[in-house]
Amino acid sequence: MEKVLIFDTTLRDGEQSPGYGMTAEQKLVLARQLEVLGVDIIEAGFPSASPEDLEGVRAIARTIKHATIAGLGRCNDVDIEACARGLEPAEKPRLHLFFGTSQLHLDAKTGLSEDGALDLIVRSLRFGKKFFDEIEFSPEDSTRTNPDFLVRTVQAAVDEGARVVNIPDTVGYTVPDEYRQRMLMLKEKVKGIDDVIMSTHCHNDLGLAVANSIAGVLGGARQIECTINGIGERAGNASLEEIVTAFRIRNDILPFETNIDSSKIYGTSQLLSALTGVGVQPNKAIVGRNAFAHEAGVHQQGWLKDRRTYEIMTPESVGAPPAKLVMGRHSGRRALAARLNELGHPLGGASLNHVYDRFLKACESGQALDDDELIALALDNKPPPNPRYSIYMVQASAGSVHPATATVMLQRDGKTHVACALGDGPVEAACTAVDAITGHPGRVVNYELRAIGEGRDAEGEVALRVSMAGKTFSGRAVGTDIVGCSVRAYVSAINKCLDVLDEVKPPQVQAVEQPDDAPPQEARA
Ligand code: KIV
Ligand code: ZN
């Protein structure tokens, strides 16, 4: 097996993309984790970009002992000197110089001719050698660079002593076979190329960054530049976790190994999300929350018999939490029985059928049931002991003028009850209105709101726990209206609380006539 070096650029290409900015302190935390993960090279930043960037690079260079620390610079003395200052404390420093070599970049950015660009590159490499033993050179936009000029550029870099030559697909334009051919072409035409390391650096504009990186390795590259969670400019860079796992799982046809400790992958991904506040898309390969979740009944059945039917790797192998069966409307009877069994409630025969029917009913709103709710179903084969509330309408208003107000209509036994309340915010106001109707105020002991996906129209998931009469019950709801979701989650938890009370008060406000125009809302009970 051949070794492929992992060059992580989360702290440079990743950090420079919108929403992923980190403080110097946060960068250091991530750099430490990258070292634990086993990356060979950490690109710590772009020291000439700002004094803070330079300080961030210096702090990482001072702290990290095993990995090589790279700093990025353009082909000018100021950038090279900034890299020298930033990387001065590093045990293993590397200068990473780049210059746009495609005709488009030459015309639009520098106005240099090909010969003029080559002179500048050579001059910069010579200047860089005064400070660094190890230099990497990147002809930016390599995949749109005239192949003959690319050969001349790479030849010049090799002749000037660059130890690594990177072939960036800066705009995510290439496709796997073309990229592999480009590597092979350079291998064939550049003298002395076998003495340097060729590197891939692929962006994901066509969703091909990982495939292209692997193709680049098949063409002779032995370093891959990539990022955690695939973050990076525009559509991102090649994702570290996907590449490393592809090598591990498809070793039969990809005989390459890396120094990455796969069991640290998930933790590193989570750490990046926590530091930046940007979650991972749920269906992201390897590290997404759904990467090891099975909901379809047929899949669940196969998976229960032999996990390999629908899993090519175990979640444990990448440090992710154990696989889970999502208990939603696509789940089959057997999966429900298996989950209940795991939760300590073995059921079979008629009682399983009965619980399964109620389970399907509870999933009608499209939401999956959490463990508490499954246990409640299993414990309770009979109709709920006490009457339950469902939400008819929630209307809240909040803004810069306090307090917030909310009007809530709940139904019980076919009658509608309405209450209005004030609160510090709309959620508090609406929950207070619920309490005014039920007469059984709940104490929210835990409230979590999480965006599912990104953007202003992302859905929110509310998960909360309510304590009443010495017991705690959970509620959960998903939707774009986060106040409505909060009330649905709250009412769901309150209903579970009421089930265990010996005596439930009647609604504390008079029933009103049900308005015709209010949209009914589901509160799963
Ligand atoms: O995408 C790119 O070309 C880069 C270079 C600076 C390596 O990030
Ligand atoms: Zn890049």
Side-chain angles (χ1 to χ4, degrees), residues 110-390:
T110 53
L112 287 176
S113 64
E114 290 185 349
D115 286 344
L118 270 188
D119 283 349
L120 183 66
I121 291 167
V122 168
R123 199 198 150 278
S124 302
L125 286 164
R126 288 184 184 162
F127 187 64
K129 273 193 282 185
K130 294 190 176 155
F131 306 93
F132 293 93
D133 289 336
E134 191 167 294
I135 304 184
E136 167 172 340
F137 181 70
S138 291
E140 192 190 14
D141 206 14
S142 285
T143 52
R144 293 192 299 172
T145 296
N146 168 335
D148 292 337
F149 184 50
L150 186 63
V151 171
R152 285 176 68 208
T153 310
V154 172
Q155 186 67 66
V158 172
D159 292 346
E160 289 305 322
R163 300 261 183 92
V164 182
V165 176
N166 182 34
I167 307 299
D169 183 27
T170 304
V171 287
Y173 176 73
T174 197
V175 297
D177 201 48
E178 182 186 62
Y179 196 54
R180 187 177 68 92
Q181 296 292 346
R182 197 152 271 234
M183 292 289 179
L184 290 172
M185 185 267 294
L186 291 169
K187 278 247 159 223
E188 188 194 317
K189 298 201 169 156
V190 175
K191 286 189 211 66
I193 191 97
D194 290 337
D195 299 328
V196 307
I197 297 171
M198 289 198 358
S199 174
T200 69
H201 179 109
C202 298
H203 280 267
N204 206 29
D205 300 64
L206 293 175
L208 292 170
V210 168
N212 288 337
S213 305
I214 292 173
V217 170
L218 292 172
R222 289 297 176 266
Q223 173 183 287
I224 295 183
E225 302 195 358
C226 47
T227 59
I228 304 297
N229 297 344
I231 70 168
E233 282 285 359
R234 306 179 308 281
N237 287 60
S239 130
L240 181 150
E241 55 277 8
E242 293 177 22
I243 293 168
V244 167
T245 310
F247 287 158
R248 189 167 62 80
I249 299 298
R250 294 312 310 274
N251 219 242
D252 52 334
I253 53 168
L254 298 172
F256 305 104
E257 62 177 359
T258 68
N259 288 325
I260 296 297
D261 175 353
S262 287
S263 70
K264 301 287 187 305
I265 284 179
Y266 184 79
T268 310
S269 157
Q270 291 289 303
L271 176 64
L272 176 63
S273 295
L275 289 172
T276 58
V278 185
V280 180
Q281 90 197 49
N283 63 329
K284 167 83 175 62
I286 321 292
V287 290
R289 143 170 82 83
N290 290 348
F292 299 98
H294 308 271
E295 181 166 351
V298 177
H299 287 205
Q300 291 184 341
Q301 232 173 303
W303 184 85
L304 283 166
K305 288 192 180 130
D306 184 337
R307 293 183 169 211
R308 290 170 304 173
T309 50
Y310 290 100
E311 253 176 33
I312 57 168
M313 69 196 105
T314 63
E316 296 78 25
S317 68
V318 294
K324 63 171 190 258
L325 298 183
V326 176
M327 288 298 137
R329 62 188 160 162
H330 303 295
S331 303
R333 205 174 305 257
R334 268 189 228 188
L336 177 67
R339 184 73 195 130
L340 285 173
N341 198 24
E342 280 171 7
L343 295 170
H345 297 275
L347 284 185
S351 51
L352 174 61
N353 290 346
H354 185 60
V355 169
Y356 185 63
D357 288 346
R358 294 191 55 217
F359 162 76
L360 288 182
K361 214 165 168 31
C363 297
E364 264 168 16
S365 64
Q367 288 170 33
L369 263 60
D370 63 21
D371 289 346
D372 277 359
E373 291 165 313
L374 294 176
I375 292 170
L377 278 182
L379 285 176
D380 179 14
N381 286 329
K382 304 176 287 310
N386 291 319
R388 293 186 154 211
Y389 286 94
S390 60

Side-chain angles (χ1 to χ4, degrees), residues 15-26:
E15 201 264 349
Q16 76 192 37
S17 60
Y20 289 99
M22 283 178 253
T23 63
E25 212 175 302
Q26 290 173 321

Side-chain angles (χ1 to χ4, degrees), residues 277 279 289 426-427 444 446-453 458-465 475-489:
R289 143 170 82 83
V427 173
V444 176
N446 187 33
Y447 176 92
E448 280 172 35
L449 170 60
R450 195 172 67 83
I452 302 178
E459 285 196 313
E461 178 188 42
V462 173
L464 50 71
R465 296 184 78 78
R476 185 179 157 277
V478 176
T480 46
D481 166 12
I482 53 175
V483 177
C485 282
S486 302
V487 180
R488 276 160 53 206

Side-chain angles (χ1 to χ4, degrees), residues 5-8 40-45 47 57 61 67-73 80 83-84 86-88 90-97 128 131-138 162-166 196-200 222-225:
L5 300 174
I6 296 296
F7 175 116
D8 182 279
D40 302 285
I41 303 105
I42 297 174
E43 188 162 51
V57 171
T68 294
I69 306 300
L72 182 71
I80 294 169
C83 285
L87 296 172
E88 184 262 316
E91 302 255 326
K92 295 193 242 169
R94 177 187 291 184
L95 171 65
H96 180 188
L97 284 182
F131 306 93
F132 293 93
D133 289 336
E134 191 167 294
I135 304 184
E136 167 172 340
F137 181 70
S138 291
R163 300 261 183 92
V164 182
V165 176
N166 182 34
V196 307
I197 297 171
M198 289 198 358
S199 174
T200 69
R222 289 297 176 266
Q223 173 183 287
I224 295 183
E225 302 195 358

